[in-house]
Amino acid sequence: MKNKISLLVLMAVLATSFFSCYRTLDFDQAENTAKPIIDADLAYFTLNSNHLIDPVTSLERITASDTTRVQILDNTDYTDYLIKVDFQFKIKNEFQRKFDVNVRFLDENYVPTYTIPITAIDEATIVSGTISPIYRNHTETLAIPATVTSFKNTRFAVVDVTLQPDTSGIHPISGDSGSFNFQSAVTLYLDLGI
């Protein structure tokens, strides 16, 4: 009798452990899983005062440009599944002048696919003889399907940095020891349909 009770208790424990861990699988959860993400640098550079002065005329250059090939979008494995794009920009201005930045994305034929203006980056200030730089972060998200589709054709990123006029006449760029630092990155979100 004792063996029968022990056997019944053992079977009850095993049955309870099997059924207590059971739960219904929710196959709709697969649609809520995280999408693959790819991070990449876009463009980065530092402008010193000599980059903003024409060596022939010694006049200030209004615009300095940098062009970068966006190689990550050359891969159709990424572009075919692209559903969203996040852009991140970090700017540091040590000049006592304001700047505007315009980031243009172009296709293989240099036709614009998307543009991001970053306007009115304030000038640095000098406090007790020490430069107090201006830091500016800018983010932008592309999630509208038609805009994302156009952006998929991007092959170049062109960054135009425009020096705003010195209306006071007391802050020329020539001889300024400051710099203008630009950094940018992109995050691509893919939907692989898994």
Side-chain angles (χ1 to χ4, degrees):
M1 179 79 172
K2 192 174 181 182
N3 285 340
K4 285 186 179 181
I5 293 175
S6 296
L7 184 60
L8 283 173
V9 170
L10 179 62
M11 291 179 76
V13 168
L14 287 174
T16 305
S17 66
F18 281 123
F19 291 110
S20 65
C21 294
Y22 172 79
R23 70 175 190 197
T24 306
L25 293 176
D26 182 3
F27 288 102
D28 291 332
Q29 275 185 327
E31 303 221 359
N32 297 326
T33 59
K35 306 293 184 199
I37 297 172
I38 300 167
D39 292 314
D41 290 332
L42 275 178
Y44 51 92
F45 55 84
T46 298
L47 297 175
N48 297 313
S49 60
N50 61 331
H51 294 114
L52 297 168
I53 300 295
D54 187 302
V56 176
T57 64
S58 297
L59 298 174
E60 292 179 353
R61 289 184 175 157
I62 302 298
T63 302
S65 293
D66 182 65
T67 302
T68 303
R69 179 134 182 119
V70 184
Q71 294 180 344
I72 195 161
L73 293 176
D74 288 341
N75 188 334
T76 56
D77 290 340
Y78 299 147
T79 57
D80 287 348
Y81 302 104
L82 186 64
I83 58 168
K84 179 179 157 188
V85 183
D86 284 338
F87 301 98
Q88 304 88 32
F89 303 97
K90 291 184 179 183
I91 298 168
K92 177 182 175 185
N93 181 15
E94 295 179 335
F95 290 116
Q96 291 184 353
R97 296 283 290 280
K98 291 183 179 183
F99 287 86
D100 292 322
V101 175
N102 196 42
V103 183
R104 297 178 290 134
F105 297 95
L106 310 173
D107 69 10
E108 198 68 51
N109 298 313
Y110 300 96
V111 174
T113 59
Y114 193 67
T115 301
I116 301 173
I118 308 169
T119 57
I121 297 155
D122 288 331
E123 69 272 10
T125 56
I126 294 185
V127 178
S128 302
T130 303
I131 292 178
S132 181
I134 294 297
Y135 295 91
R136 174 94 173 264
N137 292 331
H138 181 86
T139 58
E140 188 152 333
T141 298
L142 255 170
I144 300 169
T147 309
V148 172
T149 299
S150 177
F151 180 76
K152 289 178 183 182
N153 296 317
T154 296
R155 295 300 173 263
F156 302 99
V158 180
V159 181
D160 298 317
V161 178
T162 303
L163 178 64
Q164 291 187 3
D166 179 20
T167 54
S168 69
I170 58 172
H171 297 296
I173 286 294
S174 61
D176 195 319
S177 61
S179 64
F180 183 92
N181 182 266
F182 178 87
Q183 298 175 34
S184 60
V186 63
T187 302
L188 305 177
Y189 297 84
L190 310 178
D191 184 356
L192 302 178
I194 301 173

mmCIF file of all heavy atoms in Angstrom, residues 24-41:
data_model
loop_
_atom_site.group_PDB
_atom_site.id
_atom_site.type_symbol
_atom_site.label_atom_id
_atom_site.label_comp_id
_atom_site.label_asym_id
_atom_site.label_seq_id
_atom_site.Cartn_x
_atom_site.Cartn_y
_atom_site.Cartn_z
ATOM 1 N N THR A 24 -0.086 28.836 -23.546
ATOM 2 C CA THR A 24 -0.400 28.895 -24.963
ATOM 3 C C THR A 24 0.629 29.782 -25.671
ATOM 4 O O THR A 24 0.953 30.867 -25.199
ATOM 5 C CB THR A 24 -1.803 29.487 -25.171
ATOM 6 O OG1 THR A 24 -2.714 28.719 -24.396
ATOM 7 C CG2 THR A 24 -2.193 29.471 -26.628
ATOM 8 N N LEU A 25 1.146 29.320 -26.781
ATOM 9 C CA LEU A 25 2.067 30.128 -27.573
ATOM 10 C C LEU A 25 1.295 31.174 -28.352
ATOM 11 O O LEU A 25 0.250 30.898 -28.922
ATOM 12 C CB LEU A 25 2.844 29.242 -28.557
ATOM 13 C CG LEU A 25 3.814 28.258 -27.938
ATOM 14 C CD1 LEU A 25 4.440 27.389 -29.037
ATOM 15 C CD2 LEU A 25 4.885 28.977 -27.160
ATOM 16 N N ASP A 26 1.842 32.385 -28.380
ATOM 17 C CA ASP A 26 1.209 33.488 -29.103
ATOM 18 C C ASP A 26 2.067 33.797 -30.332
ATOM 19 O O ASP A 26 3.082 34.472 -30.234
ATOM 20 C CB ASP A 26 1.102 34.722 -28.202
ATOM 21 C CG ASP A 26 0.398 35.885 -28.885
ATOM 22 O OD1 ASP A 26 -0.062 35.720 -30.034
ATOM 23 O OD2 ASP A 26 0.317 36.951 -28.270
ATOM 24 N N PHE A 27 1.662 33.286 -31.477
ATOM 25 C CA PHE A 27 2.440 33.475 -32.691
ATOM 26 C C PHE A 27 2.382 34.913 -33.196
ATOM 27 O O PHE A 27 3.192 35.328 -33.999
ATOM 28 C CB PHE A 27 1.985 32.505 -33.782
ATOM 29 C CG PHE A 27 2.400 31.092 -33.483
ATOM 30 C CD1 PHE A 27 1.493 30.178 -32.983
ATOM 31 C CD2 PHE A 27 3.711 30.688 -33.670
ATOM 32 C CE1 PHE A 27 1.876 28.881 -32.702
ATOM 33 C CE2 PHE A 27 4.106 29.398 -33.394
ATOM 34 C CZ PHE A 27 3.188 28.486 -32.901
ATOM 35 N N ASP A 28 1.428 35.712 -32.726
ATOM 36 C CA ASP A 28 1.360 37.126 -33.110
ATOM 37 C C ASP A 28 2.490 37.926 -32.477
ATOM 38 O O ASP A 28 2.805 39.020 -32.923
ATOM 39 C CB ASP A 28 0.006 37.730 -32.703
ATOM 40 C CG ASP A 28 -1.124 37.152 -33.534
ATOM 41 O OD1 ASP A 28 -0.854 36.749 -34.693
ATOM 42 O OD2 ASP A 28 -2.258 37.103 -33.026
ATOM 43 N N GLN A 29 3.124 37.387 -31.437
ATOM 44 C CA GLN A 29 4.237 38.084 -30.812
ATOM 45 C C GLN A 29 5.397 38.249 -31.772
ATOM 46 O O GLN A 29 6.179 39.187 -31.646
ATOM 47 C CB GLN A 29 4.750 37.303 -29.600
ATOM 48 C CG GLN A 29 4.003 37.568 -28.337
ATOM 49 C CD GLN A 29 4.665 36.840 -27.178
ATOM 50 O OE1 GLN A 29 5.220 35.750 -27.353
ATOM 51 N NE2 GLN A 29 4.598 37.440 -26.015
ATOM 52 N N ALA A 30 5.538 37.388 -32.719
ATOM 53 C CA ALA A 30 6.640 37.478 -33.679
ATOM 54 C C ALA A 30 6.606 38.799 -34.427
ATOM 55 O O ALA A 30 7.636 39.323 -34.813
ATOM 56 C CB ALA A 30 6.584 36.315 -34.662
ATOM 57 N N GLU A 31 5.424 39.355 -34.616
ATOM 58 C CA GLU A 31 5.304 40.626 -35.318
ATOM 59 C C GLU A 31 5.763 41.783 -34.463
ATOM 60 O O GLU A 31 6.026 42.862 -34.958
ATOM 61 C CB GLU A 31 3.857 40.826 -35.762
ATOM 62 C CG GLU A 31 3.390 39.692 -36.629
ATOM 63 C CD GLU A 31 2.560 40.151 -37.786
ATOM 64 O OE1 GLU A 31 2.327 41.343 -37.916
ATOM 65 O OE2 GLU A 31 2.166 39.281 -38.556
ATOM 66 N N ASN A 32 5.834 41.601 -33.142
ATOM 67 C CA ASN A 32 6.217 42.673 -32.240
ATOM 68 C C ASN A 32 7.680 42.607 -31.837
ATOM 69 O O ASN A 32 8.093 43.317 -30.948
ATOM 70 C CB ASN A 32 5.334 42.628 -30.982
ATOM 71 C CG ASN A 32 3.887 42.874 -31.322
ATOM 72 O OD1 ASN A 32 3.591 43.629 -32.228
ATOM 73 N ND2 ASN A 32 2.993 42.222 -30.600
ATOM 74 N N THR A 33 8.457 41.742 -32.463
ATOM 75 C CA THR A 33 9.861 41.629 -32.110
ATOM 76 C C THR A 33 10.633 42.812 -32.657
ATOM 77 O O THR A 33 10.194 43.506 -33.572
ATOM 78 C CB THR A 33 10.465 40.317 -32.657
ATOM 79 O OG1 THR A 33 10.302 40.316 -34.073
ATOM 80 C CG2 THR A 33 9.815 39.112 -32.043
ATOM 81 N N ALA A 34 11.810 43.042 -32.094
ATOM 82 C CA ALA A 34 12.639 44.170 -32.511
ATOM 83 C C ALA A 34 13.096 43.986 -33.954
ATOM 84 O O ALA A 34 13.353 42.874 -34.408
ATOM 85 C CB ALA A 34 13.846 44.285 -31.594
ATOM 86 N N LYS A 35 13.180 45.086 -34.655
ATOM 87 C CA LYS A 35 13.654 45.075 -36.033
ATOM 88 C C LYS A 35 15.181 45.157 -36.031
ATOM 89 O O LYS A 35 15.770 45.773 -35.149
ATOM 90 C CB LYS A 35 13.087 46.269 -36.809
ATOM 91 C CG LYS A 35 11.570 46.393 -36.760
ATOM 92 C CD LYS A 35 10.887 45.285 -37.482
ATOM 93 C CE LYS A 35 9.389 45.490 -37.491
ATOM 94 N NZ LYS A 35 8.639 44.325 -37.758
ATOM 95 N N PRO A 36 15.847 44.593 -37.026
ATOM 96 C CA PRO A 36 17.302 44.729 -37.117
ATOM 97 C C PRO A 36 17.695 46.199 -37.279
ATOM 98 O O PRO A 36 17.022 46.959 -37.974
ATOM 99 C CB PRO A 36 17.659 43.934 -38.373
ATOM 100 C CG PRO A 36 16.514 43.002 -38.573
ATOM 101 C CD PRO A 36 15.306 43.727 -38.044
ATOM 102 N N ILE A 37 18.767 46.568 -36.612
ATOM 103 C CA ILE A 37 19.235 47.953 -36.622
ATOM 104 C C ILE A 37 20.687 47.976 -37.080
ATOM 105 O O ILE A 37 21.504 47.170 -36.643
ATOM 106 C CB ILE A 37 19.120 48.572 -35.217
ATOM 107 C CG1 ILE A 37 17.658 48.623 -34.780
ATOM 108 C CG2 ILE A 37 19.753 49.947 -35.167
ATOM 109 C CD1 ILE A 37 17.461 49.043 -33.349
ATOM 110 N N ILE A 38 21.006 48.953 -37.938
ATOM 111 C CA ILE A 38 22.371 49.144 -38.412
ATOM 112 C C ILE A 38 22.764 50.591 -38.157
ATOM 113 O O ILE A 38 22.060 51.517 -38.574
ATOM 114 C CB ILE A 38 22.485 48.832 -39.916
ATOM 115 C CG1 ILE A 38 22.080 47.384 -40.172
ATOM 116 C CG2 ILE A 38 23.890 49.114 -40.422
ATOM 117 C CD1 ILE A 38 21.863 47.061 -41.618
ATOM 118 N N ASP A 39 23.879 50.801 -37.461
ATOM 119 C CA ASP A 39 24.407 52.141 -37.202
ATOM 120 C C ASP A 39 25.618 52.375 -38.087
ATOM 121 O O ASP A 39 26.444 51.474 -38.267
ATOM 122 C CB ASP A 39 24.825 52.292 -35.736
ATOM 123 C CG ASP A 39 23.640 52.261 -34.786
ATOM 124 O OD1 ASP A 39 22.644 52.938 -35.082
ATOM 125 O OD2 ASP A 39 23.715 51.575 -33.757
ATOM 126 N N ALA A 40 25.728 53.600 -38.621
ATOM 127 C CA ALA A 40 26.876 53.940 -39.461
ATOM 128 C C ALA A 40 27.183 55.421 -39.337
ATOM 129 O O ALA A 40 26.284 56.238 -39.127
ATOM 130 C CB ALA A 40 26.588 53.591 -40.922
ATOM 131 N N ASP A 41 28.464 55.762 -39.467
ATOM 132 C CA ASP A 41 28.863 57.165 -39.528
ATOM 133 C C ASP A 41 28.527 57.711 -40.907
ATOM 134 O O ASP A 41 28.588 56.986 -41.904
ATOM 135 C CB ASP A 41 30.370 57.315 -39.290
ATOM 136 C CG ASP A 41 30.764 57.002 -37.857
ATOM 137 O OD1 ASP A 41 29.920 57.190 -36.963
ATOM 138 O OD2 ASP A 41 31.912 56.578 -37.646
#
